Amino acid sequence: MWALVAAMVLFHVANAPPGAYLGLFLKNDLGAPARDLSYAFVVSMVAWTACVRPVGWLSDRLGRKPLLVAGWAAMTARLGLLALAREGWQVLLVQVLDGLAQGLFAVAAAAWVTDRLGGARRAGAAQVLMGSALVLGSAIGPALAGLVVADLGYRSVFGLLAGVGTVATLVVICAVPGDRAPSPAEEDTRGS
């Protein structure tokens, strides 16, 4: 459990700063029009919304861990691609990965934590753990990035955050256990 909590905090340490710096990066470094920031968030939200239901379906069929790994890997790839982007339109395309990563995180992590805590009757406790990890990581990430962004620049900060994302992904791969075996009652409900 605590390995996933650590990975969730690291997910948001890496993924939160671009929320603060993406508009500045688009405007100052790429010379993109101001409307591109709005488009970047719309692209992310549309991708997130589109993937949630399929992720839930896949989570029940493939298990939670493969989707956890995919979510953390998508977040890391997004950060690496942001560091490499040279045009505003490239950032807009990369934002699809942001929505995918967020959707995978929201569904697969919630399902994994809920399973570990004993099922749907403990969904509230699962949300507390997830929300706490989100808030903690989302506070630490921008605070630390803010210390170095003036010296490194947006592109290098995104690259550094991709490194944090890589560590977080490795934590999920190496330290987060796979799915627990479903009970017979759960097995019956998965088929319906």
Side-chain angles (χ1 to χ4, degrees):
M1 175 70 72
W2 294 113
L4 184 61
V5 170
M8 289 190 296
V9 170
L10 288 172
F11 182 102
H12 292 290
V13 165
N15 206 45
Y21 297 126
L22 192 61
L24 295 169
F25 175 63
L26 280 165
K27 181 180 176 190
N28 297 340
D29 287 16
L30 302 182
R35 69 179 179 272
D36 279 7
L37 178 59
S38 298
Y39 296 158
F41 285 105
V42 168
V43 167
S44 178
M45 293 299 111
V46 167
W48 186 344
T49 302
C51 81
V52 170
R53 187 171 176 96
V55 167
W57 185 85
L58 288 170
S59 173
D60 286 342
R61 279 139 189 91
L62 301 177
R64 284 40 163 146
K65 186 163 179 178
L67 297 174
L68 291 173
V69 172
W72 267 253
M75 175 269 297
T76 302
R78 177 233 183 183
L79 293 166
L81 290 171
L82 282 178
L84 299 173
R86 299 286 179 220
E87 301 285 335
W89 65 267
Q90 293 170 332
V91 171
L92 296 179
L93 289 177
V94 169
Q95 284 300 98
V96 171
L97 285 174
D98 182 50
L100 178 62
Q102 296 287 356
L104 283 160
F105 173 88
V107 175
W112 190 97
V113 173
T114 301
D115 289 347
R116 288 291 165 164
L117 291 178
R121 68 186 185 340
R122 297 293 311 271
Q127 292 302 320
V128 168
L129 276 175
M130 290 188 60
S132 297
L134 182 152
V135 169
L136 182 60
S138 295
I140 293 171
L144 293 178
L147 297 174
V148 297
V149 71
D151 294 327
L152 298 179
Y154 304 117
R155 191 178 305 281
S156 294
V157 167
F158 295 151
L160 181 63
L161 294 171
V164 173
T166 299
V167 170
T169 304
L170 289 172
V171 168
V172 172
I173 291 168
C174 298
V176 173
D179 299 343
R180 64 175 180 74
S183 70
E186 290 171 325
E187 199 59 49
D188 289 342
T189 60
R190 282 188 180 189
S192 49

